[in-house]
Amino acid sequence: MSDTRSKLIDGAITTLRDKGIAGSSARTIAAAADANQALIFYHFGSVDELIVTACRESTAARVALYRAQFNEVTSFRQLLELGRELHTRERGAGNVAVLAQVLAGAQQDRNLAAAAQHALSLWIVEIEATLARLLKGSPIAAVASAEGLARGIAASFIGIELFEGVDPKGAESAIASLEMLGVLVEVVDDLGPVARRALRARLRRTGRASAKTLTS
Amino acid sequence: MSDTRSKLIDGAITTLRDKGIAGSSARTIAAAADANQALIFYHFGSVDELIVTACRESTAARVALYRAQFNEVTSFRQLLELGRELHTRERGAGNVAVLAQVLAGAQQDRNLAAAAQHALSLWIVEIEATLARLLKGSPIAAVASAEGLARGIAASFIGIELFEGVDPKGAESAIASLEMLGVLVEVVDDLGPVARRALRARLRRTGRASAKTLTS
DNA sequence: GTCTATAGAGGGATAGAC
DNA sequence: GTCTATCCCTCTATAGAC
């Protein structure tokens, strides 16, 4: 790993975070990295490929930082607290912002789409494993799968990050409300058999919306 | 309103949806609109201003289509169904995709940020009014505000739209799980006094995370 | 591996004919 | 209002010196 190579990756992350996908050109990235523009093509072949690499490597590094904490989570409460911490810290480091920008570009670019999916999956794997632990034996399991919930949570984080860029106060109130929904989940969890019966009854009466869940 | 003016707005929406914010230039938009490139500057002054106008006007038009349906919602169940319908239909029309792209560009552009915030607020107003009705007298009101929830829902829609571009199956499972969380909300709603007591007790025991809600 | 220089495409924006 | 033509800038990518 040459020094220039990693300088360019850092430059790409900084540029994606600060200037967005539309403002991330070979020139702007090279300027942020304090490197020569032509070296992007020497090391990565194209700007696209540099962004793909930066997205993958930076996400892998950030996720690794939190792996231990995910593994220690034993309640929905703790998961929510970790989510809040993660949101605040990654807002500074910019990994969620980078993911959001790559995701926006990925709608029209197969390369970026593959990188975005891979990067997101790194976060999702951790969230999903944690949820799977929490849902074991919980009445909530009758109503939501770890796979689906993990993806929903990851997507919501991305949306909130973008929302934060245009309305920080609104984003904060959104986060607070979603956290409170987490408290609600925990209460139902604690209600145990009562909640289980109510959920089962409700699901039986529900039409189309829960058809898939009923069969499982 | 000249014909060319609205052709350009339609062209901008199409281009934002199909090529993203990074691929929306005066030339590509004019091509999509089957109009002359110079007319963008005659009618709107700049590409940015055209995108801002397109974002505002298209969102206003789409929101107006759903206003009556929002007003008719009387249960969380119905709100979820409307959300699913809206998601499917707007995926075709592309308003959510356009919002996501403008939002991505808005992180670094004051003009776009104002337009994105305004457009989002049009959706949020409808969701919030509906939620305010549903939360009146509900135990859920102790735990989440209509303002915060409405913003959380809007942000999640944006995130899921972006996720759908890179992993359609994953996005579908995310939506299904979030819908099931809605069922959970409805069950708690029906539990009435039991849920209210449990939530109150839980909030009293909760530290930092719910400090704000406790005082209200 | 790193640099300069440059080709060639596409970008925003304007002048001026009609 | 609409068109062509054009200016000047930035973009990706490469060639070739060091």
Side-chain angles (χ1 to χ4, degrees):
Chain A
M1 299 288 167
S2 84
D3 188 43
T4 301
R5 197 189 130 90
S6 51
K7 265 183 14 184
L8 285 171
I9 289 179
D10 287 348
I13 293 166
T14 307
T15 309
L16 279 169
R17 189 190 56 203
D18 296 345
K19 299 188 192 299
I21 185 80
S24 295
S25 68
R27 289 183 214 281
T28 55
I29 293 173
D34 196 23
N36 190 287
Q37 178 252 136
L39 293 176
I40 288 175
F41 302 94
Y42 175 78
H43 285 286
F44 300 95
S46 70
V47 176
D48 234 53
E49 208 53 47
L50 165 56
I51 289 175
V52 164
T53 308
C55 176
R56 285 175 186 263
E57 292 194 9
S58 87
T59 305
R62 299 308 299 176
V63 170
L65 278 181
Y66 293 95
R67 190 160 294 128
Q69 288 180 74
F70 272 114
N71 286 335
E72 279 166 14
V73 166
T74 56
S75 70
F76 287 106
R77 168 80 34 91
Q78 285 172 29
L79 182 57
L80 288 172
E81 269 167 29
L82 179 53
R84 165 80 74 165
E85 182 191 336
L86 202 148
H87 174 78
T88 313
R89 272 218 252 161
E90 290 313 303
R91 180 126 198 98
N95 183 253
V96 184
V98 167
L99 279 181
Q101 290 297 325
V102 173
L103 216 37
Q107 309 295 311
Q108 295 83 28
D109 181 312
R110 290 174 175 282
N111 263 340
L112 289 185
Q117 189 181 0
H118 175 259
L120 270 174
S121 80
L122 293 178
W123 284 114
I124 290 170
V125 159
E126 303 298 329
I127 303 171
E128 188 176 337
T130 306
L131 282 172
R133 251 187 298 122
L134 299 182
L135 287 175
K136 197 176 276 177
S138 158
I140 308 284
V143 108
S145 67
E147 310 91 69
L149 261 189
R151 282 158 181 78
I153 290 171
S156 298
F157 260 71
I158 299 286
I160 287 173
E161 174 76 23
L162 287 175
F163 192 50
E164 193 143 5
V166 305
D167 182 1
K169 278 183 69 178
E172 172 53 38
S173 79
I175 293 171
S177 273
L178 296 183
E179 270 186 344
M180 286 297 113
L181 272 190
V183 170
L184 188 145
V185 166
E186 197 157 79
V187 165
V188 171
D189 201 31
D190 286 357
L191 247 40
V194 179
R196 197 183 307 268
R197 271 196 300 278
L199 283 171
R200 288 264 161 83
R202 165 68 55 174
L203 284 176
R204 241 173 282 126
R205 278 192 288 131
T206 304
R208 168 193 84 68
S210 62
K212 286 170 197 164
T213 314
L214 271 174
T215 61
S216 72
Chain B
M1 304 283 171
S2 84
D3 189 42
T4 301
R5 196 190 132 89
S6 51
K7 265 184 12 184
L8 285 171
I9 289 179
D10 287 350
I13 293 166
T14 307
T15 310
L16 280 170
R17 190 190 54 204
D18 296 346
K19 299 189 194 294
I21 185 79
S24 294
S25 67
R27 284 154 157 77
T28 55
I29 292 174
D34 197 23
N36 190 288
Q37 179 252 132
L39 293 176
I40 288 175
F41 303 95
Y42 175 79
H43 285 287
F44 299 94
S46 71
V47 175
D48 234 54
E49 208 52 48
L50 164 57
I51 289 175
V52 164
T53 308
C55 177
R56 285 175 187 262
E57 291 194 9
S58 88
T59 305
R62 298 309 298 176
V63 171
L65 277 179
Y66 291 95
R67 189 160 294 129
Q69 286 180 75
F70 272 113
N71 287 335
E72 279 166 13
V73 166
T74 56
S75 70
F76 287 106
R77 170 79 34 90
Q78 285 172 29
L79 182 56
L80 288 172
E81 270 168 28
L82 178 53
R84 165 80 76 165
E85 183 191 335
L86 202 148
H87 175 78
T88 313
R89 271 217 252 163
E90 291 313 303
R91 180 124 198 99
N95 183 254
V96 184
V98 167
L99 279 182
Q101 290 297 325
V102 173
L103 216 38
Q107 308 295 309
Q108 296 83 27
D109 180 313
R110 291 172 176 281
N111 261 339
L112 289 185
Q117 189 181 0
H118 176 258
L120 270 173
S121 80
L122 293 177
W123 283 114
I124 289 170
V125 160
E126 303 298 329
I127 303 171
E128 188 176 337
T130 306
L131 282 173
R133 249 187 300 123
L134 298 182
L135 288 177
K136 197 176 278 177
S138 159
I140 309 286
V143 111
S145 67
E147 309 91 70
L149 261 188
R151 282 157 181 79
I153 291 171
S156 298
F157 260 72
I158 299 287
I160 287 174
E161 174 77 23
L162 288 175
F163 192 50
E164 192 144 6
V166 305
D167 183 0
K169 278 183 70 177
E172 172 53 38
S173 80
I175 293 171
S177 274
L178 295 184
E179 272 185 343
M180 286 297 115
L181 272 191
V183 170
L184 188 145
V185 166
E186 196 156 81
V187 165
V188 172
D189 200 32
D190 286 358
L191 247 42
V194 179
R196 198 182 306 267
R197 271 195 302 276
L199 284 171
R200 289 262 160 84
R202 164 68 55 174
L203 283 177
R204 241 172 283 128
R205 276 192 291 134
T206 304
R208 167 192 86 69
S210 62
K212 286 172 197 162
T213 312
L214 271 175
T215 62
S216 70

